[in-house]
Amino acid sequence: MKLAFGAALLRSTTLACALATTLVAFQPAQAGTPKDMLVMATMLDEFSTLDPGEVYELMPEEYVANTYDRLVRVDLADPSHFKGDVARSWTVSTNGLTYTFKLRPGLKFHSGNPLTADDVAWSIRRCVLLDKGAAAVLQGIGLTTANVKENVRKIDDETVSITTDHVYSPTFVLNVLGAWPASVVDRKLLEQHEQNNDFGNAWLRTHEAGSGIFKLVKWTANDSLILQRDDAHADPALLKRIVLKHVPETAGQRLLVENGDADMARNLGDNDIDALAKSGKAKSMAVPQATLLYLGLNVKNPYLAKPDVQQAIKWLIDYQGIQDHIAKYTYKVHQTFLPEGFLGAIDDNPYHPDLAKAKALLAKAGLPKGFKVTMDVRNGYPYSDIAQAIQANLAQAGIQVELIPGDNKQTLAKYRARKHDIYIGEWSADYIDPHSNAQGFAWNPDNSDNSPYKMLAWRNGWNIPQLTKETDAALAEPSAQRRAQLYEIMQKQMLANSPFVIMFQRVSEVTMRPGVSGIEVGPINDLVSYRHLTKQ
């Protein structure tokens, strides 16, 4: 196959602006936290592991981005370009299959061990061989448990080569190798902690083995994450220490910022943002995100398997009302699987509340009085608030929804086991390419319970051989224009028939006290950097 990434995506002004966003400084003011330490109020309940080879959630990806290096990174100022991280240069073979990276000399891990091509090659092989969620990203360029030892090789101490299974656009390959699953881990350190050939996974779940701008001091599950600047890094961070504090309630985050006990909040609600802005104690910056909030309808449930029921649910939800009254700043209505700004994205939002149409569809499905169903929902704002609104919307047509709250680890575990009825959650692109989302929503090559490909369509039991073929074809299409057209067709197909109710695109609101500046926020959590964070 051959894939062209497409100049249209690289010129996307929306994502370029988002990637380049650096929150502006405010006038100095006295804060209650130490000058060389920043306290961030956020939500840490996604964390079940710290191992970059196992991580597959949003905030953990952000943690990995700031504690580990990788071969390359997207240039936040221009997403059409890449900066070398541990790599100082790279070339592509004439047949377009092999990428050869030359590493910077003299690199070291936080442990003091030297970072060499052996560590880079071993790290990528390790992620694939662990075969956990993160491996799916590297599988995108054809690295599998069967071929990774042969296709990822150390040439010498400063040279590593990676061979893909097909000819892809170099930009696509670099996006994959610049993502968190390709983070470089300390082989020598992990082999010292290896248990039963687990590549040090059990130990790394609660420890750190990176070379990034920050090193881990301590992680306390559902409480805090403490990071310390690596003074030996070639490009060290400005602040000495970053403390991420788990504060699941928006009122609690707001109170900490108001009192000066936190310098920054990441999950404030609309009223909190308005109140802090009015008081002058903080100001927020909005950054568009490649994250979608959606409902997954498990077609193993006989009611939810009916296409007319799926459509009825889409016509019952008051999307605009939820945005206006629950998530004014944090979400905007968006109903297709590609976020705004991606190659091939369309702005079709056809669904709005239409009770008569929904009731007619339910009657057509043989369910004129509705039915009972459960919805798994993550605790905290805005998920529980939105779920309650949807519960009320669906009740108008007799669909009785029992909400089952839980922390994110609980709801995700149930979802990944296909044991849910309805799941409300988020999907964030792994890298800046439309295939990241198409693979999630429209690709399911093996619907069996033991499938090695457990993306979103699989989780909802949706067997889609034709859409899977279309997704593969779009990935291989060399023409950017034709590729965009293929994604447009797929999005329209899924609007008309799918068990996904895609509702909103996320807008990241980062709220900071006066004197705080420098956080760089991209459209995905893997592109958030604490390097230039500072306080006055």
Side-chain angles (χ1 to χ4, degrees):
M1 293 190 298
K2 185 177 180 181
L3 177 150
F5 185 81
L9 175 60
L10 302 181
R11 292 195 297 267
S12 166
T13 55
T14 300
L15 286 180
C17 292
L19 282 166
T21 298
T22 300
L23 301 183
V24 296
F26 312 131
Q27 292 301 313
Q30 189 67 33
T33 59
K35 186 176 181 180
D36 60 355
M37 179 178 80
L38 183 133
V39 176
M40 181 189 304
T42 186
M43 294 176 67
L44 302 177
D45 62 335
E46 289 181 320
F47 280 84
S48 59
T49 178
L50 301 182
D51 187 340
E54 189 174 21
V55 158
Y56 208 60
E57 289 77 40
L58 302 182
M59 279 304 295
E61 290 172 18
E62 185 172 315
Y63 155 78
V64 172
N66 286 280
T67 50
Y68 289 84
D69 292 321
R70 64 273 313 245
L71 281 167
V72 297
R73 290 184 192 257
V74 171
D75 186 344
L76 291 177
D78 182 355
S80 68
H81 291 89
F82 292 83
K83 294 180 178 179
D85 209 10
V86 302
R88 57 185 168 90
S89 64
W90 53 91
T91 57
V92 184
S93 62
T94 54
N95 66 3
L97 293 174
T98 299
Y99 293 70
T100 302
F101 296 87
K102 291 288 185 179
L103 306 188
R104 302 180 191 276
L107 297 174
K108 290 185 180 297
F109 289 104
H110 298 150
S111 67
N113 292 331
L115 189 161
T116 71
D118 181 63
D119 294 288
V120 175
W122 188 81
S123 299
I124 294 172
R125 293 197 300 262
R126 173 187 184 271
C127 181
V128 173
L129 294 172
L130 274 176
D131 200 21
K132 297 182 183 292
V137 176
L138 297 173
Q139 289 168 1
I141 56 173
L143 298 179
T144 68
T145 55
N147 68 25
V148 70
K149 290 183 179 179
E150 179 183 350
N151 288 3
V152 180
R153 298 187 300 117
K154 165 192 170 181
I155 305 302
D156 57 45
D157 282 349
E158 293 186 2
T159 312
V160 63
S161 73
I162 299 169
T163 300
T164 63
D165 61 337
H166 298 286
V167 176
Y168 298 110
S169 163
T171 307
F172 175 76
V173 176
L174 292 175
N175 264 307
V176 170
L177 295 177
W180 84 96
S183 296
V184 185
V185 297
D186 188 334
R187 177 177 185 174
K188 184 176 180 180
L189 178 62
L190 288 185
E191 287 183 337
Q192 292 172 356
H193 294 281
E194 190 171 23
Q195 302 173 24
N196 301 318
N197 299 314
D198 73 342
F199 299 97
N201 171 248
W203 182 82
L204 196 56
R205 285 178 174 177
T206 56
H207 295 82
E208 177 256 303
S211 60
I213 53 174
F214 285 96
K215 49 189 175 182
L216 176 69
V217 175
K218 185 179 181 181
W219 170 46
T220 304
N222 288 330
D223 180 77
S224 61
L225 186 69
I226 303 173
L227 306 178
Q228 183 86 8
R229 179 179 61 205
D230 178 16
D231 292 325
H233 197 277
D235 186 13
L238 298 179
L239 283 176
K240 182 177 181 180
R241 182 165 286 200
I242 307 287
V243 177
L244 283 71
K245 181 69 177 172
H246 178 56
V247 187
E249 299 298 331
T250 62
Q253 292 194 18
R254 171 183 165 182
L255 183 62
L256 289 175
V257 172
E258 281 181 332
N259 293 339
D261 296 319
D263 304 290
M264 179 183 297
R266 299 288 293 278
N267 311 102
L268 293 183
D270 299 340
N271 293 336
D272 304 305
I273 292 170
D274 285 337
L276 286 170
K278 186 175 181 179
S279 69
K281 292 186 176 180
K283 188 174 182 179
S284 296
M285 177 66 72
V287 185
Q289 299 288 283
T291 300
L292 303 176
L293 185 73
Y294 71 99
L295 301 181
L297 313 180
N298 190 345
V299 301
K300 288 190 171 186
N301 181 304
Y303 299 135
L304 299 176
K306 297 175 180 289
D308 289 325
V309 170
Q310 297 166 8
Q311 290 299 99
I313 291 173
K314 294 173 185 178
W315 286 110
L316 285 169
I317 296 173
D318 185 2
Y319 307 90
Q320 193 61 52
I322 291 172
Q323 178 185 327
D324 292 343
H325 300 293
I326 297 176
K328 180 172 61 174
Y329 296 121
T330 51
Y331 289 95
K332 61 179 180 178
V333 175
H334 187 88
Q335 296 176 356
T336 57
F337 70 76
L338 286 184
E340 176 187 321
F342 271 45
L343 177 71
I346 59 177
D347 60 0
D348 294 11
N349 296 315
Y351 294 105
H352 54 83
D354 190 326
L355 183 58
K357 184 176 290 188
K359 285 185 174 181
L361 286 164
L362 289 174
K364 183 181 175 184
L367 297 165
K369 296 183 179 179
F371 55 91
K372 292 183 179 180
V373 71
T374 63
M375 181 190 294
D376 291 281
V377 56
R378 175 181 177 182
N379 289 322
Y381 174 86
Y383 313 102
S384 57
D385 302 65
I386 293 175
Q388 289 171 19
I390 294 170
Q391 181 187 46
N393 292 159
L394 270 55
Q396 296 177 79
I399 302 177
Q400 300 176 47
V401 180
E402 176 191 352
L403 300 182
I404 303 177
D407 65 29
N408 203 45
K409 293 189 294 292
Q410 294 170 325
T411 58
L412 272 175
K414 189 173 179 181
Y415 187 41
R416 288 171 175 170
R418 306 207 282 190
K419 293 181 179 179
H420 65 293
D421 285 339
I422 300 177
Y423 170 82
I424 181 170
E426 293 181 321
W427 172 265
S428 181
D430 293 328
Y431 38 81
I432 312 303
D433 186 274
H435 182 65
S436 183
N437 275 36
Q439 185 182 42
F441 287 97
W443 187 78
N444 185 10
D446 181 353
N447 197 44
S448 69
D449 287 341
N450 296 320
S451 171
Y453 311 108
K454 299 181 179 179
M455 306 301 279
L456 303 185
W458 178 89
R459 293 179 194 178
N460 291 283
W462 196 32
N463 193 20
I464 44 170
Q466 182 57 39
L467 266 175
T468 298
K469 289 179 182 178
E470 292 179 28
T471 298
D472 290 337
L475 176 64
E477 173 56 51
S479 164
Q481 182 178 4
R482 176 58 181 158
R483 192 174 182 224
Q485 291 172 349
L486 293 176
Y487 287 119
E488 290 171 7
I489 292 169
M490 291 168 62
Q491 288 169 91
K492 291 177 180 178
Q493 289 174 334
M494 289 184 61
L495 275 172
N497 179 24
S498 85
F500 295 110
V501 186
I502 299 171
M503 302 179 289
F504 304 103
Q505 181 170 347
R506 187 176 174 185
V507 178
S508 178
E509 290 281 348
V510 184
T511 304
M512 298 183 298
R513 286 183 60 84
V516 177
S517 67
I519 188 169
E520 294 166 298
V521 181
I524 55 178
N525 284 60
D526 194 37
L527 294 174
V528 176
S529 174
Y530 305 156
R531 185 187 304 276
H532 299 120
L533 262 173
T534 188
K535 292 168 58 176
Q536 296 182 12

